[in-house]
Structures are given as structure tokens and as C-alpha cells.
Amino acid sequence: MTTIEQNNGYATLINVFTVEPDRAAELAALLDTATEEVMRHRPGFLSANIHVSTDGTRVVNYAQWDSAEAYRAMLSDPTTQEHMGKAAALAVGFDPHLYTVESVHER
């Protein structure tokens, strides 16, 4: 389960893919399959959430890992690289970064 709280110590990946609108659903499905079949079985994986912008030009992967080291280890796995290559091929561009949660506001 995704937990968004300040100072949680997790490594949060936010990867924004830019896509042609007719490829957004295909990319979201590919990311869903890759997460279900590969990513969630990697050590340190906590959660992933796939979002598609309402105009279909962006697909966002919001994922949490136990640590930046666990995230980097996942990146070096050949099976992971295969799925990431397929996702990159569907996108016009992508911009992955690790983040920390600096504040949380609730109603």
C-alpha cells in the first residue's frame, strides 16, 4: 500500500512519460503488467501507482522503494531493463527522478 508521509525514509520514484495520446493506454497497460510481473517481486519494492493525464499526453509512475539502493538494484536487473526499454519505446520522452516527501496536507 502506498504511504505518503513526511520523513518516511522511502525512496519515491516519480517518472513522467510524455506520450502521443493514442499510446497512453498502451503504455499504462505495459507499466501495469511490468509492475505486476516483475517490479513488485524485486527486493525493496513497496508500491506503484500508474496515472494517465486526462488529455492522454502524460503517463506517470509513482512508485515507492525501501531505499534508493533498492531502486538502483532494480535498475540493473536485465528483466527490468527489458520492460523499461519497451516503455521507453512507447513514449516520446520520460523523466524519472527520486523524491522525498517534504509535506503532506489533508482535509
Side-chain angles (χ1 to χ4, degrees):
M1 173 184 253
T2 301
T3 303
I4 302 175
E5 59 187 15
Q6 192 174 357
N7 302 316
N8 63 15
Y10 303 148
T12 300
L13 167 70
I14 301 176
N15 191 356
V16 179
F17 294 86
T18 303
V19 294
E20 295 297 333
D22 62 336
R23 305 302 295 268
E26 183 180 3
L27 177 56
L30 185 143
L31 293 171
D32 180 63
T33 299
T35 300
E36 190 61 30
E37 294 178 0
V38 178
M39 305 303 179
R40 72 183 195 96
H41 302 287
R42 296 291 175 256
F45 175 84
L46 296 173
S47 68
N49 303 272
I50 310 301
H51 305 263
V52 177
S53 66
T54 56
D55 65 0
T57 63
R58 303 282 189 283
V59 176
V60 176
N61 180 3
Y62 181 100
Q64 292 179 324
W65 294 85
D66 277 337
S67 65
E69 293 76 21
Y71 168 74
R72 284 192 277 283
M74 173 274 301
L75 290 177
S76 66
D77 180 87
T79 305
T80 299
Q81 291 174 357
E82 178 185 341
H83 284 281
M84 290 172 23
K86 290 177 183 177
L90 288 174
V92 173
F94 52 94
D95 190 25
H97 292 279
L98 289 180
Y99 293 84
T100 59
V101 177
E102 296 301 312
S103 66
V104 175
H105 306 271
E106 298 181 38
R107 187 173 116 169

